[in-house]
Amino acid sequence: MSATVIDGKKIAQEIRNEAKAEAAALVEAGVQPCLVVVLVGADPASKAYVGSKVKACEETGIKSIKIEMPATASEQDLMTEIDRLNSDASVHGILVQLPLPMQMDEDRVTERIDPAKDVDGFHPENVGKLSIGIDCLTPCTPSGIPELITRSGIAMSGKHAVVIGRSNIVGKPMMNILVQKGEKANCTVTCCHSGTQDLKQFTQQADILIAAIGVPEFVTADMVKPGATVIDVGINRVDDTSAARGYRLVGDVDYASVAPVAGAITPVPGGVGPMTVAMLMKNTTKAARMIHGLASR
Amino acid sequence: MSATVIDGKKIAQEIRNEAKAEAAALVEAGVQPCLVVVLVGADPASKAYVGSKVKACEETGIKSIKIEMPATASEQDLMTEIDRLNSDASVHGILVQLPLPMQMDEDRVTERIDPAKDVDGFHPENVGKLSIGIDCLTPCTPSGIPELITRSGIAMSGKHAVVIGRSNIVGKPMMNILVQKGEKANCTVTCCHSGTQDLKQFTQQADILIAAIGVPEFVTADMVKPGATVIDVGINRVDDTSAARGYRLVGDVDYASVAPVAGAITPVPGGVGPMTVAMLMKNTTKAARMIHGLASR
C-alpha cells in the first residue's frame, strides 16, 4: 500500500484556469485586473518568486507591474510608493515581496497596504476577518491547502487536522481557516509548535497533518497515523553533491518513509508550492471583483 | 482529593487594583481615562451588564459615560454616535453593548469603532493583531483566562490546552491567545466545536480545558483528565423552583462531578465572570496609554 500522491501542479492549473475565466469576465465587464509586485533589493530567491508571479499574471490575463527599488531605499520611499498604489484606481492587488531589507519594518509596511488590495492577506484587518469568518483576502499558501485536499476527493469536515508550526504566514492562518464552518474546513484543529511537548503523540492522531516547520524531512513515518493525509508546506535546500546545482529541494516531511504509511501526500516540489501562485491569481481577481462591487465584501 | 477552586473574585480584584493604579498614573500625567458604553434598547441583561461596567469604572477612577439609544434607533443613528465618539479626544474606550436590535449589523457596527478605542477587542484589526502577535486591545473574557490560571500558580507554557467552542467572542480568540509565545501562553492548542467527532477523546487529553459552549453542565467527569485545570466560561440559567428567582446559574461544566477529578477549577459564578469587567478596566487604561503615547502600540 502506498499513498495517493496529491498532484499540486494539476490542481494549481485548474485554479489558474478558473482565475483566467474570472479575469476574462472582469475584462468583459470593463475592468482589467492588475497586480503590482514591489521588489526591494536584488535577493535572487525573491527575484525568482517575483518572476514566477509576473509570468503567472501574463498567462491568466492579469496585468502585472513590477516595481524594483534599490536595497538602500528607505522605509519612507516604500511607504510613498504604497500610498500611490493604494490611491491608483487601476491597481487591484499590491504585493510587497518579503523579506524586506533591515531598515524596514515588515509589520508597518504590511499595515500600510490598503486591505482591499492586500492580495497576500497579511494585513491585520484581513487576518482578523479570516478568524471572524468574514469574507476577505486570505493568505495564499494556507488558503491553497483545503483546495489541494478537497479537489483530491478527500473530505475535511469533522476530521482532526494537526498543524505543525505557528508562523504568521502559514501555521496561524491555517489554524484559523481549518476551524471555520464549511465543507472545506470544519476540522477539529490542533496547533503544535516549538513549545509542544511530545510532538509525536499529537501528530499520530492527525487525520490531516500539515507540516510547516522549515526543518528538512522533520516528519518521519513513526509520527504519522496510517492512512492520514499529509501536506508538506516546507521547501528546504539540502546539500547534494550528486545534483548539478549542488543541492536538492526537500520538504518538512521525510517523503520516502512517510509515503508508504500515509493515505495521501503532497510531494516537494509539485505539491503545495504551485498552489501559492495560483491562489495569488485568484486573490487578485477577487480583489478586483470586490473593489468594483462585483462580489460581496 | 478535590480540585483547587480558582478564585475569580479575588484575582479580578487584584486586576482592578492594578487598573486603578494605572488610571491614577494617567490622571497624574494629565489624562483622565474615559470609557463610553452605548446601550441600544432596554434588554434587562444588557442593562445589568452596562450597570456593572459603569460601577467598575467609578471604583477604578475611570470616567464613564452611558449613552442610551432607543431599540427603534437606526443603524445610521448608531454610526453617527460612534463617529462622534471616535473623533472625541477625551474618549479612550468605546463599548457598544451586544446584542444589537435586528435592524443593525453587528459586524458593520464593530468595524466602525476606531480600533484604538475598541476596548472589546472585536474589531477585525485587533483580532488580526492578536493572531499575528502585535500588541493590541484584546477581548476581555479570553484575555482574563491566562490571568486566572497563572495567578493561581499554574504554569501554562508547554501544556496542552483544549478549547471547546469556536465563537468569535471566546473560542477563536482563546485559541489565538494560547498559541502565542510567552509564559501566559505557549500551549499546544486544540479547538473542538460542534463539528468535532468523539469530543471526549480530545477533552480527556487536556492539561487545560476551557469550556465555552453555552450548554449547561455539558462537561462531565468522564471527559476530564485527572488533575486538569478546568476553566468554565459558561453562564447558563436553569429552572430551579427551589430558588427564590425561579432559576439558578450554572456553567458549561458539571461542577459537582468534575471538581473531584480536576486539579483546579473555576466556579460559576465567581470564576471567569468577574474577570471580564476587570479586563475591561485594564483595556480602558491601556487604550488611554496607547492613544497618549504612554505605551508601545
Side-chain angles (χ1 to χ4, degrees):
Chain A
M1 190 186 93
S2 192
T4 302
V5 180
I6 294 177
D7 189 343
K9 279 189 201 164
K10 178 173 146 279
I11 296 169
Q13 192 57 56
E14 278 175 30
I15 289 169
R16 286 169 68 156
N17 291 344
E18 291 166 16
K20 190 172 183 174
E22 288 162 7
L26 278 159
V27 170
E28 187 79 14
V31 177
Q32 172 59 60
C34 172
L35 173 68
V36 177
V37 185
V38 181
L39 175 63
V40 185
D43 174 66
S46 291
K47 282 190 86 147
Y49 286 131
V50 165
S52 70
K53 288 167 186 175
V54 167
K55 184 158 168 283
C57 283
E58 279 168 24
E59 290 171 14
T60 310
I62 294 172
K63 180 182 170 187
S64 72
I65 298 170
K66 185 166 75 174
I67 296 179
E68 299 190 73
M69 300 178 74
T72 54
S74 70
E75 186 177 302
Q76 189 50 56
D77 293 338
L78 179 55
M79 293 301 203
T80 303
E81 194 58 44
I82 291 172
D83 290 346
R84 191 183 65 74
L85 296 168
N86 283 342
S87 58
D88 182 340
S90 72
V91 172
H92 307 104
I94 303 169
L95 188 155
V96 177
Q97 184 68 43
L98 302 180
L100 290 171
M102 291 293 281
Q103 72 273 20
M104 299 183 183
D105 181 294
E106 290 188 356
D107 283 341
R108 263 201 307 266
V109 169
T110 300
E111 287 180 41
R112 189 73 160 236
I113 297 170
D114 180 347
K117 300 185 178 185
D118 167 40
V119 286
D120 257 341
F122 294 158
H123 190 288
E125 191 175 305
N126 285 319
V127 175
K129 286 183 172 178
L130 170 60
S131 171
I132 295 166
I134 300 173
D135 191 30
C136 65
L137 298 170
T138 60
C140 298
T141 301
S143 298
I145 289 170
E147 300 298 330
L148 276 176
I149 297 171
T150 56
R151 290 176 192 238
S152 298
I154 299 164
M156 296 182 68
S157 180
K159 298 280 182 71
H160 183 205
V162 177
V163 180
I164 320 176
R166 58 177 158 184
S167 73
N168 288 320
I169 295 176
V170 182
K172 287 193 254 177
M174 190 76 256
M175 178 179 79
N176 281 300
I177 289 169
L178 292 167
V179 81
Q180 302 295 323
K181 292 177 182 172
E183 281 307 306
K184 292 182 183 178
N186 203 36
C187 294
T188 301
V189 182
T190 297
C191 184
C192 300
H193 45 71
S194 55
T196 295
Q197 294 174 1
D198 194 4
L199 178 65
K200 200 201 289 191
Q201 69 160 311
F202 296 105
T203 60
Q204 282 175 341
Q205 296 179 49
D207 301 313
I208 298 168
L209 181 60
I210 299 169
I213 322 140
V215 179
E217 300 175 328
F218 180 83
V219 175
T220 45
D222 57 313
M223 299 170 70
V224 177
K225 177 160 103 175
T229 299
V230 179
I231 305 294
D232 189 348
V233 184
I235 305 177
N236 310 288
R237 285 186 182 193
V238 294
D239 291 338
D240 184 348
T241 51
S242 73
R245 296 178 294 193
Y247 66 85
R248 62 194 163 89
L249 294 178
V250 300
D252 291 351
V253 175
D254 177 23
Y255 190 90
S257 84
V258 171
V261 177
I265 188 168
T266 60
V268 174
V272 171
M275 293 294 288
T276 300
V277 170
M279 296 307 290
L280 176 64
M281 298 300 105
K282 275 270 193 180
N283 266 357
T284 305
T285 58
K286 183 177 184 178
R289 284 202 310 278
M290 283 176 151
I291 289 168
H292 288 277
L294 301 167
S296 61
R297 285 201 74 164
Chain B
M1 188 186 96
S2 194
T4 303
V5 179
I6 294 177
D7 191 343
K9 279 189 201 163
K10 178 173 148 278
I11 297 169
Q13 191 57 55
E14 279 174 31
I15 289 170
R16 285 168 68 155
N17 291 346
E18 292 166 16
K20 191 172 181 170
E22 288 163 7
L26 278 159
V27 170
E28 188 79 14
V31 177
Q32 172 58 60
C34 173
L35 173 67
V36 177
V37 185
V38 181
L39 175 63
V40 184
D43 175 65
S46 291
K47 281 190 88 146
Y49 286 131
V50 166
S52 70
K53 289 166 186 175
V54 167
K55 184 159 169 283
C57 283
E58 279 167 24
E59 291 170 14
T60 311
I62 293 172
K63 179 181 170 189
S64 72
I65 298 170
K66 185 166 75 173
I67 296 179
E68 299 191 74
M69 300 178 74
T72 53
S74 70
E75 186 177 303
Q76 189 49 56
D77 294 339
L78 179 55
M79 294 302 203
T80 303
E81 194 58 45
I82 290 171
D83 290 346
R84 191 183 65 74
L85 297 168
N86 283 343
S87 58
D88 182 341
S90 72
V91 171
H92 306 105
I94 303 170
L95 187 156
V96 177
Q97 184 67 41
L98 302 180
L100 290 171
M102 292 292 283
Q103 72 274 19
M104 298 182 181
D105 182 294
E106 290 188 357
D107 282 342
R108 263 200 307 266
V109 168
T110 300
E111 287 180 43
R112 189 73 159 236
I113 297 170
D114 180 348
K117 301 185 178 185
D118 168 41
V119 286
D120 256 342
F122 294 159
H123 190 289
E125 191 174 305
N126 284 319
V127 175
K129 285 183 172 176
L130 170 60
S131 170
I132 294 166
I134 301 172
D135 190 29
C136 64
L137 298 171
T138 61
C140 299
T141 301
S143 298
I145 289 171
E147 299 299 331
L148 276 176
I149 297 171
T150 57
R151 290 177 193 238
S152 298
I154 300 164
M156 296 182 67
S157 180
K159 299 279 182 73
H160 182 205
V162 176
V163 180
I164 321 176
R166 58 177 158 184
S167 73
N168 287 320
I169 295 174
V170 182
K172 286 193 255 178
M174 190 75 256
M175 177 179 79
N176 281 299
I177 288 168
L178 293 167
V179 82
Q180 303 294 324
K181 291 176 182 173
E183 282 308 305
K184 292 183 184 177
N186 203 35
C187 295
T188 302
V189 182
T190 298
C191 183
C192 300
H193 45 71
S194 56
T196 294
Q197 294 173 2
D198 194 5
L199 177 65
K200 198 200 290 191
Q201 70 159 309
F202 295 105
T203 60
Q204 281 175 341
Q205 297 180 47
D207 300 314
I208 297 169
L209 181 61
I210 299 169
I213 322 141
V215 178
E217 300 174 327
F218 179 82
V219 175
T220 46
D222 57 312
M223 298 168 72
V224 176
K225 177 160 103 174
T229 298
V230 178
I231 305 294
D232 189 349
V233 184
I235 304 178
N236 311 287
R237 285 187 181 190
V238 294
D239 291 339
D240 185 348
T241 50
S242 74
R245 295 179 294 192
Y247 67 85
R248 62 193 165 89
L249 294 178
V250 301
D252 291 351
V253 174
D254 178 23
Y255 190 89
S257 84
V258 171
V261 177
I265 188 168
T266 59
V268 175
V272 171
M275 293 295 288
T276 300
V277 170
M279 296 307 289
L280 176 65
M281 298 301 104
K282 274 271 193 180
N283 266 357
T284 304
T285 57
K286 183 176 185 180
R289 284 203 310 279
M290 282 177 153
I291 288 168
H292 289 277
L294 302 167
S296 61
R297 286 202 69 167

